[in-house]
């Protein structure tokens, strides 16, 4: 189990689950027009995915620059999410 964490494979698995979740919610929205609207959902999922990618980059030893890039992208996605919610 420790090897799953150390190698980053667990993060890869969680990222796949996030992508599947996004696909399922977007398909549900397009068919039923119920649930969370895509423009409200995607910034939140993007922020989470970018945080996971920053963790993955750190676990893989990719250096601080790549992790910082993913953290900055997560911050921008979070800011977008908060801005959209604040207007509504």
């Amino acid at each position: 189990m420790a090897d799953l964490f150390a190698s980053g494979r667990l993060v890869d698995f969680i990222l796949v689950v996030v992508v599947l979740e996004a696909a399922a919610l977007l398909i549900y929205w397009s068919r039923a027009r119920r649930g969370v609207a895509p423009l409200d959902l995607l910034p939140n999922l993007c922020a989470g995915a970018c945080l996971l990618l920053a963790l993955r980059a750190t676990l893989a030893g990719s250096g601080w620059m790549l992790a910082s890039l993913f953290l900055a992208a997560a911050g921008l996605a979070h800011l977008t999410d908060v801005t959209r919610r604040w207007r509504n």
Side-chain angles (χ1 to χ4, degrees), residues 22-88:
L25 290 171
L26 291 173
I27 289 169
Y28 180 72
W29 171 260
S30 70
R31 291 186 180 170
R33 295 287 183 220
R34 294 179 59 201
V36 181
L39 288 178
D40 294 331
L41 172 71
L42 292 179
N44 191 324
L45 285 178
C46 184
C50 286
L51 288 174
L52 286 167
L53 288 170
L55 175 61
R56 179 70 168 99
T58 301
L59 290 174
S62 297
W64 66 271
M65 289 182 71
L66 186 59
S68 296
L69 177 71
F70 287 132
L71 289 174
L76 287 174
H78 176 67
L79 181 63
T80 301
D81 185 36
V82 169
T83 302
R84 289 192 50 78
R85 290 172 191 253
W86 196 281
R87 289 185 196 160
N88 295 334

